Amino acid sequence: MVNRRDVLKSVTTVAVGGTVSAQEPLGPFDRPTARFDKALQSRLPSWAFTQCLKFPLVPRPTAVDSHDSLNDSDRRPFGSLDPIPMGQSFHGIAREWGETPEHWREFGCDPNFPEAETWKDKCEHFGQIDSHSDVTKKIHNWGHFPIKCYKIPIRETEVTLRRDAVYPARMYGYAGMVPGPTFKFRLGQPVVVRYENHLETEVSVHLHGGHSPSHSDGFPSFYVLQGKARDYFYPNILPLKYQPQDPNANEAGYVVDLGESQSTMWYHDHGMDATAYNVSKGLAGFALCFGERELGLIAQKILPGLGPESCNDPEQDCLETDPAKVSELEDPEHPGFYRRDKEPYRNPYDIPIVLQDKVIDLATGQIAYDGTGHNGYLGDTFLLNGVAWPFLDVENRKYRFRFLNGSNARIYRLRLLPEQEYHRARDQGIDAPGADPEDAEVAARRPHRYDETSSPFLRIGKDSWLWAKASQRRSVLLAMANRADLVVDFKRLAPDLKAGETAVFYLVNTMPQADGRGPKLKLDDAGDPRVLPLPFNTIATPDGVPTTTVAELKRPIALMKIVVHGPPIDPSDDACVEDGTELNPHDAIEDHEVEVVREFIFERGKGAWQINGRFYDPTIANATPSLGSAEEWILRNGGGGWWHPIHIHLESHQLISYQKDFGADEIIDPEEPPARTQLTNLVQLVDQIEPIEQRGLHDTQVLGPNTVARIRMRFRTWNGPFVFHCHNLEHEDMRMMFNFEPVHRIGRNSGGWHDNRKPANIAPDARTHGNDVTLQDSTEVQRIGELPWEYPAVPATRLEDAGEELIRPRPEPTH
């Protein structure tokens, strides 16, 4: 059996500029015959746009039933061939499946109830939501619908990544699919997914953007070991907020935070030290979630869809077992998965697309990956839903596109160009800022600006959440792990088409990037660390007055061809979302709610990546927020020219401030590690971000070079451990990650509120949780807890060793 360290050592056998072991004989996959070629990014193969975009299948559940029934030791909820009862897999299930944590007394729950009664108790105290279809009905936040169970094996599979590759690539796939199956969840309907690991390396599955228990969140060392399984419990609930004056509050004064309704989530590997390699090998997929507000927008044809038909789930309340009915639902070529026209929330006008870039060794068909390159992995083959340069046929109407940046280190700026404008920009270049000067006559013939040639669209959401309102855009920046929820009205773009006619558009990337540092102006000089300064559209000079447009590629990189067919449909049959349409408003975190301020500096150090001068250690807690509190975190880029998209697990965050020191961009430090840049002339830029985006919810915040972001978040529902980290996956694996553990202290209903709170940014605490995140049962079957930590506990650290830039805690609240 090969462990993950063996895998990590072996990834250089097919490497980008790596070395090969001297062991003989050498096989066909042992020689590094491919490397990233920045010149090929905009040069497409002759067969580009000849393959149709594919859509991952939606899995059918293996059981849909009540908590009591699924807990029956004689029940086989994961199929007749799996005799292991619920929660008795090797790695167990989250303790919240069968227990009520002590801190849920705050919501009115009783932790002393036996397991048979805890489920009903939670249903009664986790609040209710108005039904999208009937305002007189309420949906229970916890467990309104029966629990769905799924079984997903993680195994090796073969996938042809390029038509001109000699062999198919050996990939890792959830259920043997790359990308993995698309889950469709419903808020108020709990889900348990049994992931079985059939690979020769440990894995850990993270539901990115989810609000899930620690056991099921994909903590880096909460593995699914080789040959073992873990039962991931996703309650699919919205967090509660204390608002006793609300008429919908429960007896404890809590209401459901409707603004937190998730929409576009995804899942991917999160195994410690191996995330980048495992994700590059295929371990990623979509998990779409439908709440009552979003279902209402679809039912009313505000968002694209089939109206009420796109709000139905054929197996929401029970699993079909009649063979005739099963044959109607199930894809005969893929048992266990739905037919396209029978899947839950069927919507042919809602198209999720994951963007990834890879280097493919054409002689072997394999992914060429450099296990020793820690800047970040880039590729020159662009895959959308696993297809290189696909095409998509669409009707002449509005479509919803959910774009996910599933790349390891690439940042995209997406635009939609009409066919003629794309060919002009590809052949002649565009007069974009930062483009090399040319003959004036040549320049005069070129298109002048991307914004003058790009087609408009609506942006309706970012990351896991819909925005408060729809907003018109002509481009969208997508850093690693970010999602962009867009609506394109092809009727507006091709209004004059007649029957039998078509119009062509190209989805393109215009972001200049040649190495893992991030986007940069000079693609011919990978050694220059100066990169584009901001993750949004305008930049200011140090005096903060003039603004200019961020540089883009002179020639766009085409990603997908979109072919529009026929005349526009009748507007009454189409979605009616427009610029400014209200979608999913949420409440801002006010100044008086913030109880603690913390600072985290993301920087290079000692040949790898650090936060506050420390490497990641799974055995300590770097922050212990109080459950029920709100905090403000200062995220600072420590310099050196790298971009760091920072992802925080468990909760959404709100952007409060974004500052930049422009003068620091000119500092080039060739030392390893570079000295921490002193940011002395910070300019406030948050007002340059469009207000709807600024006030929206995020789960991944981009730190451009020499920038400082202030964010706010609430900590609710689940105690730790959880992590936050850079989502340049090579940076994450090389230790740019910290733990945080929400901790229950003294609550409102216990005579006080958050007494004995730890000061911010002191030396790390010992881990406060470990085996107790897994439900244990000592009566019939002894369930294993989390494995022992690999390293001994870290001894106490002196305050002066914890970091130089310490933010003092706020004074105790007086209200």
Side-chain angles (χ1 to χ4, degrees):
M1 183 72 67
V2 181
N3 65 29
R4 65 189 169 90
R5 290 170 188 79
D6 296 324
V7 172
L8 289 171
K9 292 175 182 177
S10 69
V11 298
T12 54
T13 58
V14 178
V16 185
T19 58
V20 181
S21 169
Q23 295 178 352
E24 295 291 345
L26 291 175
F29 305 118
D30 293 330
R31 292 193 181 279
T33 59
R35 64 180 67 241
F36 168 66
D37 188 340
K38 60 195 174 188
L40 295 180
Q41 294 182 96
S42 59
R43 299 179 189 173
L44 306 184
S46 59
W47 48 265
F49 312 126
T50 60
Q51 294 177 282
C52 184
L53 180 73
K54 71 176 183 180
F55 303 100
L57 296 173
V58 176
R60 286 189 65 220
T62 54
V64 184
D65 216 328
S66 68
H67 182 266
D68 289 345
S69 177
L70 293 174
N71 258 358
D72 189 331
S73 60
D74 294 329
R75 184 68 188 274
R76 296 188 177 186
F78 299 100
S80 59
L81 299 180
D82 189 334
I84 302 175
M86 173 70 71
Q88 294 187 22
S89 62
F90 182 81
H91 296 287
I93 195 169
R95 58 189 288 257
E96 292 86 355
W97 167 263
E99 300 174 359
T100 298
E102 181 65 29
H103 64 273
W104 287 0
R105 286 187 188 275
E106 299 298 326
F107 309 143
C109 297
D110 188 343
N112 296 319
F113 279 156
E115 181 172 358
E117 299 178 33
T118 58
W119 197 262
K120 181 180 179 182
D121 186 46
K122 295 166 189 172
C123 290
E124 292 177 354
H125 293 99
F126 268 81
Q128 296 180 332
I129 305 166
D130 290 337
S131 168
H132 77 276
S133 59
D134 187 346
V135 294
T136 66
K137 293 183 179 180
K138 298 287 185 180
I139 303 295
H140 285 284
N141 188 28
W142 184 292
H144 181 90
F145 302 102
I147 302 159
K148 284 189 173 184
C149 300
Y150 298 87
K151 183 174 179 179
I152 302 293
I154 306 173
R155 56 183 174 81
E156 194 171 78
T157 187
E158 290 191 344
V159 178
T160 299
L161 298 175
R162 289 183 58 122
R163 290 181 57 186
D164 49 2
V166 175
Y167 303 106
R170 297 182 299 185
M171 303 287 285
Y172 298 163
Y174 295 110
M177 298 179 183
V178 180
T182 296
F183 287 105
K184 292 192 174 182
F185 296 153
R186 174 81 176 264
L187 286 171
Q189 181 152 43
V191 163
V192 179
V193 184
R194 175 167 289 177
Y195 283 104
E196 282 186 343
N197 183 7
H198 296 264
L199 302 175
E200 293 187 334
T201 183
E202 300 101 319
V203 296
S204 179
V205 184
H206 171 48
L207 180 60
H208 188 121
H211 189 72
S212 307
S214 176
H215 175 276
S216 304
D217 184 66
F219 191 76
S221 57
F222 286 5
Y223 299 120
V224 186
L225 294 177
Q226 301 95 322
K228 305 297 182 183
R230 176 184 289 257
D231 292 346
Y232 283 79
F233 171 43
Y234 303 125
N236 290 329
I237 63 168
L238 294 177
L240 304 181
K241 60 183 177 182
Y242 186 67
Q243 203 162 304
Q245 72 278 9
D246 193 306
N248 295 316
N250 66 11
E251 65 273 20
Y254 285 87
V255 297
V256 177
D257 193 347
L258 292 175
E260 293 282 346
S261 296
Q262 293 106 331
S263 182
T264 307
M265 302 186 292
W266 64 301
Y267 63 102
H268 59 85
D269 186 68
H270 214 276
M272 192 164 67
D273 303 337
T275 296
Y277 181 66
N278 288 348
V279 171
S280 76
K281 290 279 283 185
L283 292 185
F286 275 104
L288 308 183
C289 195
F290 296 88
E292 296 308 306
R293 280 185 174 174
E294 182 169 344
L295 288 172
L297 294 170
I298 297 170
Q300 298 167 43
K301 290 193 173 181
I302 296 173
L303 292 181
L306 299 172
E309 185 180 341
S310 291
C311 301
N312 296 328
D313 179 352
E315 294 179 293
Q316 179 174 276
D317 298 315
C318 65
L319 183 72
E320 292 288 1
T321 56
D322 183 332
K325 292 183 178 180
V326 170
S327 66
E328 292 180 6
L329 294 175
E330 198 164 77
D331 186 334
E333 297 181 4
H334 301 91
F337 294 87
Y338 286 102
R339 295 176 183 266
R340 289 288 178 205
D341 59 344
K342 297 296 182 180
E343 63 188 35
Y345 313 107
R346 182 176 77 89
N347 191 342
Y349 310 118
D350 182 350
I351 301 180
I353 299 177
V354 55
L355 306 169
Q356 295 175 309
D357 61 321
K358 304 182 189 297
V359 178
I360 311 300
D361 182 348
L362 298 183
T364 65
Q366 308 307 301
I367 293 173
Y369 185 88
D370 184 0
T372 64
H374 307 317
N375 253 357
Y377 174 69
L378 292 186
D380 46 31
T381 296
F382 293 91
L383 300 110
L384 286 74
N385 287 355
V387 180
W389 298 289
F391 74 89
L392 174 67
D393 289 317
V394 298
E395 301 172 27
N396 202 343
R397 56 168 299 143
K398 288 178 181 172
Y399 276 78
R400 179 179 181 179
F401 292 93
R402 310 190 200 215
F403 287 108
L404 156 66
N405 183 349
S407 296
N408 285 33
R410 182 175 291 280
I411 298 171
Y412 297 84
R413 182 176 294 281
L414 300 180
R415 291 186 179 273
L416 191 64
L417 295 180
E419 182 176 31
Q420 182 178 1
E421 298 296 346
Y422 164 69
H423 287 301
R424 286 180 63 201
R426 182 198 63 183
D427 297 338
Q428 302 173 23
I430 197 165
D431 187 19
D436 295 333
E438 292 183 3
D439 181 86
E441 182 179 348
V442 174
R445 294 198 303 266
R446 293 195 316 224
H448 294 297
R449 292 288 186 271
Y450 277 113
D451 277 346
E452 297 171 7
T453 59
S454 299
S455 299
F457 51 79
L458 297 176
R459 185 163 189 184
I460 63 172
K462 181 190 176 188
D463 293 347
S464 290
W465 301 273
L466 293 176
W467 278 354
K469 295 181 179 180
S471 178
Q472 182 168 296
R473 302 295 172 85
R474 289 183 183 270
S475 73
V476 59
L477 184 136
L478 211 58
M480 297 79 84
N482 280 149
R483 280 130 287 152
D485 207 336
L486 312 179
V487 172
V488 180
D489 186 358
F490 291 106
K491 303 192 309 300
R492 177 180 176 184
L493 305 184
D496 301 323
L497 283 185
K498 297 179 175 58
E501 295 181 342
T502 62
V504 174
F505 297 84
Y506 286 88
L507 177 74
V508 302
N509 172 35
T510 63
M511 184 64 81
Q513 185 173 357
D515 64 29
R517 280 183 185 269
K520 63 173 56 186
L521 294 174
K522 298 170 61 177
L523 293 183
D524 58 344
D525 184 4
D528 185 348
R530 290 175 293 193
V531 300
L532 298 184
L534 289 177
F536 39 91
N537 288 330
T538 58
I539 61 174
T541 56
D543 59 13
V545 179
T547 59
T548 57
T549 304
V550 167
E552 298 187 67
L553 283 167
K554 187 168 63 175
R555 287 179 170 81
I557 302 172
L559 303 174
M560 180 173 67
K561 179 180 181 179
I562 301 175
V563 184
V564 185
H565 292 263
I569 70 167
D570 190 308
S572 63
D573 296 328
D574 202 358
C576 61
V577 61
E578 298 290 349
D579 186 18
T581 298
E582 185 171 302
L583 300 172
N584 186 38
H586 66 275
D587 296 330
I589 301 174
E590 303 294 340
D591 289 350
H592 67 83
E593 298 180 67
V594 176
E595 299 186 12
V596 173
V597 178
R598 306 179 193 269
E599 182 180 34
F600 301 103
I601 304 175
F602 299 82
E603 57 195 339
R604 184 153 179 93
K606 301 179 180 177
W609 303 96
Q610 299 178 324
I611 304 176
N612 289 359
R614 302 179 66 95
F615 291 127
Y616 177 65
D617 188 327
T619 69
I620 61 177
N622 302 98
T624 54
S626 296
L627 278 162
S629 72
E631 295 193 355
E632 186 169 298
W633 286 11
I634 301 170
L635 311 178
R636 173 181 164 185
N637 191 320
W642 287 277
W643 285 51
H644 300 300
I646 307 305
H647 171 48
I648 302 169
H649 289 214
L650 178 64
E651 292 280 5
S652 70
H653 64 260
Q654 301 172 21
L655 179 63
I656 305 303
S657 168
Y658 202 100
Q659 297 174 289
K660 177 173 180 63
D661 186 336
F662 287 89
D665 283 348
E666 300 306 313
I667 300 173
I668 301 176
D669 185 353
E671 297 298 322
E672 173 61 41
R676 182 180 294 174
T677 305
Q678 298 302 312
L679 305 181
T680 57
N681 295 293
L682 289 170
V683 178
Q684 180 58 259
L685 298 166
V686 73
D687 293 337
Q688 296 190 35
I689 304 175
E690 206 276 335
I692 293 174
E693 179 173 2
Q694 175 194 336
R695 296 168 189 160
L697 301 181
H698 315 252
D699 64 39
T700 304
Q701 189 64 52
V702 186
L703 291 182
N706 305 309
T707 56
V708 179
R710 283 180 175 261
I711 64 172
R712 289 178 183 171
M713 71 198 86
R714 297 182 174 98
F715 296 91
R716 298 169 289 189
T717 317
W718 316 107
N719 53 2
F722 298 93
V723 294
F724 63 97
H725 56 85
C726 178
H727 223 287
N728 180 320
L729 296 182
E730 281 71 28
H731 294 189
E732 173 189 338
D733 281 346
M734 289 305 292
R735 300 292 162 146
M736 188 173 265
M737 181 157 55
F738 260 14
N739 298 320
F740 70 96
E741 300 204 17
V743 175
H744 174 57
R745 296 190 168 100
I746 298 176
R748 290 184 179 90
N749 299 331
S750 305
W753 186 238
H754 298 319
D755 294 338
N756 303 316
R757 184 171 56 250
K758 285 279 189 181
N761 278 26
I762 67 165
D765 296 330
R767 281 292 313 281
T768 58
H769 299 89
N771 289 345
D772 64 340
V773 302
T774 303
L775 183 63
Q776 301 289 319
D777 185 353
S778 58
T779 55
E780 298 180 3
V781 179
Q782 181 65 45
R783 302 177 185 172
I784 191 167
E786 291 307 325
L787 298 180
W789 303 111
E790 296 184 51
Y791 311 103
V794 175
T797 305
R798 297 177 303 170
L799 176 61
E800 54 268 28
D801 292 339
E804 300 173 5
E805 316 282 345
L806 300 184
I807 303 298
R808 295 302 171 188
R810 287 195 173 201
E812 294 290 332
T814 57
H815 57 280

